[in-house]
Amino acid sequence: MKLTFIGAAHEVTGSCTLIEVGNIRGLVDCGMEQGKDLYENVELPVKASDIDFVLLTHAHIDHSGNLPLLYKNGFRGVVYATSATCMLANIMLRDSANIQMQDAERDSRKEMRAGRGPVEPRYTIEHAEGLLKLMRPCHYGELLQINEHVTIRFNDAGHLLGSASIEVWLREDSDERKVL
């Protein structure tokens, strides 16, 4: 069992934690850093395509904003979130993708005038839509066994519509741990 803090270790934005148990890999959140970048988040130490699942605590962009990028890079697992978080993420991630595309278009015009090549968006609406198809709505209090190593339960966090703290039971061989 191993937890690796990818983002928001020294600041509040860019929340992302890698869980490794047995041969399973998952993330808790996959957020985008926002505001002044005082500390650089670490890169994922595994390929996006090797991640089996994501547990999303809520839809704020600093917790969900890099999910379409994860999809763009090959993630095709399941994103578990409360029903309300799934609905809000549908709005917020599409909006974020539009912003990414508009920013890239604006920056491309500047770069082209300077004789350089175009700027690619971090991700597009197609990446956001692909990711949204992977979301699985969950109910508060529902005990859900993801696989033989991981069981979860979402609990109301009261932060935002659909926000949750997530109880995660990790099992590897005869060892079982619970993290919240």
Side-chain angles (χ1 to χ4, degrees):
M1 271 178 243
K2 183 178 175 185
L3 295 177
T4 306
F5 299 97
I6 306 298
H10 297 283
E11 54 191 356
V12 229
T13 71
S15 180
C16 186
T17 303
L18 175 66
I19 297 172
E20 296 175 279
V21 57
N23 59 348
I24 303 298
R25 293 182 181 100
L27 295 177
V28 177
D29 292 338
C30 191
M32 182 183 294
E33 285 186 273
Q34 297 178 296
K36 193 171 185 176
D37 189 14
L38 300 176
Y39 299 93
E40 191 129 342
N41 282 354
V42 229
E43 291 294 317
L44 280 176
V46 297
K47 295 186 299 187
S49 59
D50 291 339
I51 296 170
D52 301 294
F53 65 90
V54 175
L55 308 176
L56 183 58
T57 60
H58 64 289
H60 280 152
I61 293 300
D62 64 320
H63 288 258
S64 69
N66 275 338
L67 285 170
L69 180 62
L70 193 69
Y71 180 86
K72 176 182 179 180
N73 291 334
F75 171 72
R76 296 299 182 271
V78 180
V79 178
Y80 297 91
T82 64
S83 301
T85 293
C86 290
M87 290 187 308
L88 287 174
N90 186 30
I91 297 165
M92 295 180 81
L93 294 178
R94 288 172 192 270
D95 185 51
S96 179
N98 280 321
I99 291 168
Q100 301 300 317
M101 293 166 61
Q102 290 169 2
D103 287 352
E105 185 179 322
R106 182 197 63 234
D107 294 345
S108 287
R109 285 194 302 272
K110 291 178 186 176
E111 291 297 308
M112 299 298 270
R113 283 194 301 268
R116 295 184 285 271
V119 174
E120 292 296 316
R122 188 172 185 83
Y123 52 81
T124 65
I125 191 73
E126 289 79 18
H127 299 125
E129 289 172 346
L131 181 278
L132 291 166
K133 290 177 185 171
L134 302 177
M135 294 192 81
R136 185 208 186 270
C138 301
H139 300 288
Y140 289 127
E142 173 186 16
L143 202 59
L144 181 64
Q145 186 165 352
I146 293 178
N147 55 51
E148 70 276 10
H149 297 288
V150 181
T151 302
I152 64 170
R153 179 171 42 215
F154 288 86
N155 297 298
D156 189 351
H159 170 60
L160 162 77
L161 184 65
S163 64
S165 56
I166 308 170
E167 291 175 279
V168 184
W169 288 268
L170 304 171
R171 282 176 296 288
E172 189 169 43
D173 301 323
S174 63
D175 194 16
E176 183 175 50
R177 304 287 170 131
K178 177 181 167 183
V179 293
L180 177 65

